[in-house]
């Protein structure tokens, strides 16, 4: 049987996150967004709900759920707000998941319990000022062993969750050697506050205004040799796996944003009148909303498919890239159309659709641009072998 009906447990999770987003996030997020403030209180409450521990085993304080459940939560959050959703997405898929997947028993015991509770956040530092898509070619950050310490030098750009007051650790990818011309890349955990590790000021971003994004600098930054995460030289392979999963999560977030646009428009066109009728009376508006609903539906199915394959242990690389591409397109198109349906009010920051419009663009950039998704899909189709 092929089917995507949620079971009782999944529906209970979905509806509890939907209610949380509507009752706790929606009333306050507009003001926080205007001020560009990190939503500490909301994050703490999400931690108490178990959202940061959703895909992790109970022995680490997790909820014993799976990646599908985590994506479902992201989708429901993003129907209301994407800054909060990306904070959860990056905290779990980029921050905690590599520690869970590749960490030693001691590393998991040390870091995961606080991360699963949402009391602490972890970040993943891959992108550098000189290159994001072109990794490993564009990577410059290095780490060398000096006795029983790694000495890290370099910088990272645009790192989510890296500078909050509850950030506990950043996993940085660094060149730890060379195999001929090929850089050997490893992942090294750098606890917040380590001397030589400087966190820059919060960027002024177009969207995701409540999420924390920083530039990081490492200068003679020393951490114990046992802070290596996974095997020496395994960082690049680990990063590819982390990003494949992260793309499914970002796709779910984007699909949620696309659906949130439909929610907002359905409310608005029953209230606003023009030329003697409610806006929703006009077929041009109905068709726009029908197109938006169709995009949101296809987007949801695309991440369901990728996530279902992921949790079944099947190959999902191509489906993850297709979902990321499809869902971010849907988010962009729907936020543009929703803003149009709201007219002048759609351009006012106090209306959620304006926030959605500002938040949608980055979905075509972060965790692999749309061009990179197309490269992955083309490679999976065997096109890269053509001369
Ligand atoms: C808000 C925000 C949060 C982020 N959070 C994180 C994080 O937590 N951790 C992290 O490591 N990174 C993070 N990033 C970085 C993000 O993943 C990168 O911005 C992204 O991968 C693109 O890299 P780049 O910015 O260096 O662009 P570039 O790689 O310089 O690309 C520029 C443009 O060229 C295109 N391009 C590049 N190469 C090719 C090619 N061969 N063919 C065709 N087109 C090409 C790209 O698609 C893009 O359109 C974040 C970014 C943002 C904006």
């Amino acid at each position: 049987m092929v089917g995507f009906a949620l079971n009782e447990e999944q529906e209970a999770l979905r509806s509890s996150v939907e209610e949380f987003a509507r009752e706790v996030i929606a009333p306050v997020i507009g003001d926080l967004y205007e001020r560009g403030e990190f939503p500490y209180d909301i994050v703490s409450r999400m931690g108490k709900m178990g959202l940061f521990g959703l895909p992790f085993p109970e022995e680490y304080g997790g909820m014993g759920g799976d990646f599908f459940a985590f994506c479902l939560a992201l989708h429901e959050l993003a129907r209301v707000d994407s800054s909060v959703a990306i904070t959860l997405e990056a905290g779990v898929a980029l921050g905690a998941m590599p520690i869970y997947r590749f960490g030693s028993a001691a590393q998991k015991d040390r870091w995961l319990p606080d991360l699963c509770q949402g009391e602490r956040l972890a970040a993943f530092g891959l992108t550098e000022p000189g290159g994001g898509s072109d990794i490993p070619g564009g990577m410059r950050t290095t780490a060398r062993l000096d006795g029983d310490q790694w000495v890290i030098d370099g910088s990272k750009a645009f790192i989510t969750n890296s500078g909050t007051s509850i950030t506990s650790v950043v996993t940085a990818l660094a060149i730890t050697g060379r195999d001929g011309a090929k850089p050997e890349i490893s992942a090294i955990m750098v606890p917040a506050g380590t001397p030589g590790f400087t966190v820059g000021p919060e960027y002024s971003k177009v969207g995701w205004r409540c999420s924390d994004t920083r530039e990081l600098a490492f200068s003679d930054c020393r951490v114990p040799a046992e802070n290596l995460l996974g095997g020496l030289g395994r960082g690049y392979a680990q990063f590819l796996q982390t990003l494949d999963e992260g793309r499914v999560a970002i796709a779910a977030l984007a699909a949620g944003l696309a659906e949130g646009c439909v929610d907002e428009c359905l409310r608005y066109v029953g209230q606003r009148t023009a030329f003697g009728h409610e806006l929703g009376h006009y077929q041009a508006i109905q068709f726009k909303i029908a197109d938006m609903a169709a995009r949101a539906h296809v987007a949801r199915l695309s991440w369901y498919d990728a996530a279902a394959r992921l949790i079944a242990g099947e190959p999902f690389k191509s489906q993850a890239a297709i979902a990321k591409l499809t869902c971010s397109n849907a988010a962009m198109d729907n936020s543009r159309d929703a803003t149009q349906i709201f007219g002048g009010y759609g351009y006012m920051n106090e209306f959620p659709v304006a926030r959605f419009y500002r938040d949608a663009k980055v979905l075509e950039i972060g965790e692999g641009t749309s061009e990179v998704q197309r490269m992955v899909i083309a490679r999976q189709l065997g096109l890269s072998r053509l001369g």
Side-chain angles (χ1 to χ4, degrees):
M1 271 292 281
V2 174
F4 282 128
L6 300 183
N7 65 29
E8 215 174 292
E9 208 178 326
Q10 290 163 336
E11 177 51 30
L13 169 71
R14 194 206 62 73
S15 66
S16 71
V17 179
E18 179 187 33
E19 186 183 326
F20 176 81
R22 196 177 52 238
E23 295 187 357
V24 176
I25 301 175
V28 299
I29 198 68
D31 285 345
L32 290 172
Y33 198 88
E34 271 305 288
R35 296 198 297 271
E37 271 179 35
F38 187 80
Y40 284 103
D41 181 52
I42 293 172
V43 167
S44 161
R45 294 178 70 163
M46 280 162 47
K48 292 193 173 79
M49 279 175 80
L51 299 189
F52 283 89
L54 265 176
F56 301 111
E58 289 168 16
E59 63 177 302
Y60 299 115
M63 299 290 281
D66 58 29
F67 209 81
F68 186 92
F70 166 58
C71 291
L72 205 51
L74 292 173
H75 184 116
E76 288 305 320
L77 291 172
R79 281 175 67 187
V80 168
D81 178 67
S82 291
S83 290
V84 170
I86 189 59
T87 301
L88 176 65
E89 193 276 341
V92 172
L94 300 183
M97 192 56 85
I99 302 174
Y100 173 61
R101 289 247 185 273
F102 312 116
S104 64
Q107 287 168 332
K108 291 185 207 184
D109 287 343
R110 174 171 176 195
W111 300 107
L112 285 180
D114 285 348
L115 299 177
C116 286
Q117 300 295 315
E119 287 169 4
R120 294 285 180 171
L121 289 171
F124 184 70
L126 153 79
T127 309
E128 303 198 352
S133 310
D134 183 18
I135 297 291
M139 186 174 279
R140 297 289 172 269
T141 299
T142 59
R144 63 179 169 84
L145 263 184
D146 179 17
D148 58 359
Q149 291 184 321
W150 287 108
V151 185
I152 310 170
D153 286 285
S155 53
K156 298 287 170 186
F158 315 128
I159 308 304
T160 305
N161 287 343
S162 59
T164 73
S165 65
I166 56 171
T167 301
S168 56
V169 65
V170 176
T171 300
L173 289 194
I175 299 172
T176 46
R178 293 208 171 261
D179 178 6
K182 222 171 112 198
E184 171 198 89
I185 293 177
S186 305
I188 299 174
M189 300 176 71
V190 185
T194 302
F197 169 34
T198 316
V199 178
E202 168 66 44
Y203 290 99
S204 172
K205 300 193 291 293
V206 171
W208 284 359
R209 300 273 307 163
C210 300
S211 94
D212 178 82
T213 321
R214 315 260 179 168
E215 183 161 334
L216 312 177
F218 303 94
S219 174
D220 196 32
C221 171
R222 289 167 181 267
V223 296
E226 65 259 24
N227 283 22
L228 180 71
L229 182 70
L232 185 66
R234 296 289 302 147
Y236 185 56
Q238 292 172 190
F239 137 73
L240 290 179
Q241 188 179 339
T242 300
L243 276 199
D244 281 343
E245 291 184 353
R247 282 169 188 164
V248 183
I250 286 282
L253 191 160
L257 189 156
E259 192 175 333
C261 291
V262 179
D263 299 338
E264 291 298 326
C265 287
L266 288 177
R267 271 194 285 275
Y268 189 71
V269 299
Q271 295 163 2
R272 178 77 172 173
T273 57
F275 299 96
H277 294 285
E278 290 170 347
L279 271 187
H281 163 84
Y282 297 103
Q283 200 175 46
I285 299 284
Q286 290 176 8
F287 278 14
K288 227 186 239 317
I289 297 177
D291 282 344
M292 291 165 63
R295 286 185 210 118
H297 182 70
V298 171
R300 181 189 280 273
L301 293 182
S302 73
W303 82 250
Y304 272 25
D305 174 47
R309 288 167 193 266
L310 189 167
I311 62 173
E314 294 169 11
F316 67 99
K317 187 182 251 320
S318 190
Q319 287 76 17
I322 289 171
K324 165 78 163 58
L325 185 62
T326 304
C327 295
S328 55
N329 281 343
M332 273 300 280
D333 290 345
N334 279 12
S335 66
R336 183 198 58 233
D337 285 356
T339 302
Q340 190 67 18
I341 285 174
F342 271 65
Y345 291 112
Y347 205 61
M348 299 299 125
N349 281 325
E350 67 187 273
F351 285 83
V353 292
R355 198 158 26 86
F356 292 169
Y357 188 62
R358 292 165 70 176
D359 289 344
K361 182 59 207 169
V362 70
L363 297 166
E364 296 187 315
I365 299 172
E367 293 193 41
T369 63
S370 295
E371 291 74 19
V372 166
Q373 306 312 320
R374 290 184 176 97
M375 286 182 210
V376 172
I377 297 164
R379 205 172 296 135
Q380 293 293 311
L381 290 170
L383 293 170
S384 55
R385 285 198 298 272
L386 298 180

